[in-house]
Amino acid sequence: MAMKLVVGLGNPGAEYAGTRHNAGFDVIAELVGRCPPCKPQTKFSSVIWEVFADTGKVLLVTPTTYMNRSGEAVQQIARFYQVMPQDMAVVCDDINLPLGQVRWRAGGSAGGQKGLADIIERLGTDQVPRLRLGVGRPPGQQDAADYVLSRFRAEEREEFGVMTKIAADSVETWNSDGLVCAMNRFNRSS
């Protein structure tokens, strides 16, 4: 059985906790919370939890590089554990999706997501499954970079919490039943 790798993207440090850009970290935290307690390891510029599912070993990963250098961590882990791109899932925020919407893709462009772009560049392929988490568009003329580094407003937190649980459910489906099943079950048209 092939080992699977689930990488949640975000920025390390308390000042970034709870920001839109760290939505991927929040999904990993949800997944870790669903597993029997295990001690995380800090290696390959990441925090890694090794968990076991019916399908075999799954590495839940939060890179400790900053978002724009996420590929550095993913490349090291993929090389060491010999994980192929199709056995990875990158979980990241997406300002092009409405808040609360999740969307799986088998591959393609990074769509402006710099962490995903770095992973694609370092792995040398855009055929990396990814789960995009809708964080909504910046209001008015707000800069996109400032927006993704902002925290969810009080009225958005509940919807974000629901999305985090749905996203974690969809990662479990991806792991057990495959990408097509996860796409069919969780991708919703807006």
Side-chain angles (χ1 to χ4, degrees):
M1 274 186 255
M3 181 186 297
K4 298 276 184 77
L5 178 60
V6 182
V7 182
L9 300 189
N11 285 313
E15 68 268 34
Y16 297 106
T19 63
R20 295 168 197 278
H21 225 17
N22 277 32
F25 278 16
D26 293 325
V27 172
I28 295 295
E30 173 69 22
L31 288 164
V32 168
R34 295 178 179 193
C35 298
C38 67
K39 190 170 169 37
Q41 302 173 45
T42 304
K43 57 185 180 182
F44 305 118
S45 305
S46 300
V47 179
I48 301 173
W49 293 264
E50 286 189 24
V51 299
F52 295 88
D54 294 341
T55 55
K57 189 187 287 188
V58 180
L59 300 177
L60 302 175
V61 176
T62 54
T64 55
T65 58
Y66 283 88
M67 174 69 81
N68 298 357
R69 293 186 24 238
S70 298
E72 189 179 302
V74 173
Q75 184 181 41
Q76 290 177 55
I77 295 166
R79 193 176 287 151
F80 183 84
Y81 290 102
Q82 298 180 332
V83 178
M84 300 304 294
Q86 66 268 20
D87 293 320
M88 298 177 190
V90 176
V91 184
C92 59
D93 62 294
D94 188 339
I95 63 171
N96 296 310
L97 290 177
L99 176 64
Q101 191 173 345
V102 301
R103 183 170 296 152
W104 279 95
R105 286 270 156 80
S109 81
Q113 218 290 349
K114 290 183 168 65
L116 183 56
D118 193 52
I119 291 169
I120 289 168
E121 184 180 323
R122 297 234 185 201
L123 294 180
T125 179
D126 66 0
Q127 294 305 296
V128 181
R130 75 283 311 256
L131 174 60
R132 295 177 170 276
L133 308 170
V135 296
R137 297 219 38 94
Q141 299 297 312
Q142 186 176 6
D143 179 66
D146 292 338
Y147 178 71
V148 295
L149 293 176
S150 70
R151 287 179 170 70
F152 291 97
R153 295 188 305 275
E155 65 272 17
E156 297 174 316
R157 282 195 203 108
E158 184 178 348
E159 194 168 359
F160 175 71
V162 169
M163 178 179 70
T164 300
K165 288 177 174 35
I166 291 169
D169 292 345
S170 80
V171 170
E172 290 174 342
T173 299
W174 166 80
N175 183 48
S176 60
D177 302 324
L179 179 61
V180 171
C181 186
M183 291 170 82
N184 288 340
R185 196 175 302 168
F186 292 94
N187 287 7
R188 304 272 186 268
S189 57
S190 47

